[in-house]
Amino acid sequence: MPLPAETAPAETAREKVPVTAIPGDGIGREVMAAVRQVLDAAGARIAWEEALAGAEAFRKGISTGAPQETLDSIARTGVALKGPLETPVGYGEKSANVTLRKIFEMYGNVRPVRELPGIHTPFSGRGIDFVVVRENVEDVYAGIEHMQTPSVAQCLKLITEVGCERIVRLAAAVAEAEGRKKVTVATKANIMKLTEGMMKRVGEQVLKDYAGLTHEHMIVDNCAHQMVIRPEQFDVTVMTNMNGDILSDLAAGLVGGLGVAPSANLGDHVAMFEAVHGSAPQIAGKGIANPTALLLSALMLLRHIGDFATARKVEHALYVTLEEGRDLTGDIAPEGQGAPTRAFVERIIANLGRESEKVPEREYRPIALKQWPQITWYRAATTRELVGVDVFVESERDPHAIGITLGAAAEGSAFTLAGIGSRGAQVWPAMGGHTFLVDHFRARFLFKEPPKGNGITEITDLLQRIGRQHNWMHIEKLQRFDGAPAYSVA
Ligand code: NAD
């Protein structure tokens, strides 16, 4: 889309970097216009391609919330600045944000967490300045859920080795691009030894390749605690999707909240920059929204396209404006002294060229993203043994009775019943505890002897035997890869 005449720059679009601008919903238009005004005034060499996504797209009948022209624009430019997108009620359950993230495999979410001048928080003066790198497409956010019984729900937590490797390498690349020194991998590996444990193991392995970086592992709940009691210790942190989701919001809270929190979604081919906040419908159209978060996101965009000088200029002008505290929007100004977005923007533009001592001096370089080949990631094991099967059954009976019936079902089969668990706790043979019982049990069957073939005949026979007395919902093979158990112990 051509730019309006009054903002058309002197240079030709050819000399500029094309960037897709998606204003989005609610205050999106206002903050996007504000940010473009500041960037244009600062001389950013950007040719904006305006594109539609969000509520308006849904209302036009586009079920993904992102029209093909928008996807084409992003694919073409590879860089987008995006406002908040709403999913209006009654237009399906798909979020346009998730659609964009998944279509372009933007696997890394990067959230800088830095104290800003003039934004007073209980942590002001601590010099908080770190980055949360969150895996963006795997984990429980794959959204693979099943009701196992009418009252027991399950969500699959899928973690892949390549997913861990690419997010850890991205965290290392962010550290190197910003001259940072330490990467903290935060996981729940002490409990989820295979999924979260994979992130810990891959992190430890991969970070050995980065001689200039120190690395550490931290249990994620302690990481949350440490972020509150000693946030200065962090430099770059990296986490799986849900942990990163929660801790990045916590981290944003330390420095002034979502309203001033920027972010980048990075993939091999596309980088999309956006404020963390939503569309703030209560204040939309009133001209009072704070554009700081989108402006900080735009600084990340400028550095991504290699325009470090403009990024620095805008950052200093923003800092000077916040420090002086004049014409701040209502959300960050003292009570009753809020200025309109327009005045705040004019103040930032007037401050272009001034320097603030509060901006941390960093030598930024572009984030050196590894390009991952489009292949099926497959890792063979040298040896593979099938040692048994977990069968999940629904039953209203007590564990002792279930043990008798499942034990009897296994008689004459290729298996022995090794134990029964309820939500991870062993209930048969009884351990003498006080486990609360529900109608969902995991029965572990082990092969009496290793199967001759692939074990399917034996498993089918066992399921038929169990099915005569119990409703079973799903099974999991118990395998050993290269001699190591590929399942959690009971
Ligand atoms: P929200 O961030 O829009 O609002 C939370 C609070 O912060 C409100 O009081 C709001 O007025 C205030 N606020 C947010 N941004 C502000 C700004 N720039 N200036 C001044 N005040 C600001 O969160 P919400 O109310 O939970 O969500 C509203 C809508 O936005 C929902 O439809 C949600 O799905 C969507 N949303 C989109 C994104 C995204 O596109 N990335 C993110 C979050 C929420």
Side-chain angles (χ1 to χ4, degrees), residues 38 41-43 309-321 324 345-357 359:
V38 174
T310 310
R312 186 178 185 284
K313 190 169 162 189
V314 174
E315 187 167 39
H316 277 271
L318 172 67
Y319 269 58
V320 168
T321 309
E324 291 184 347
V345 167
E346 282 165 7
R347 180 66 61 184
I348 297 171
I349 291 173
N351 284 330
L352 286 168
R354 292 181 64 192
E355 301 254 317
S356 160
E357 286 180 4
V359 177

Side-chain angles (χ1 to χ4, degrees), residues 24-40:
D25 301 312
I27 59 169
R29 275 195 182 277
E30 297 157 63
V31 290
M32 180 65 79
V35 167
R36 283 178 57 172
Q37 213 183 325
V38 174
L39 263 50
D40 290 346

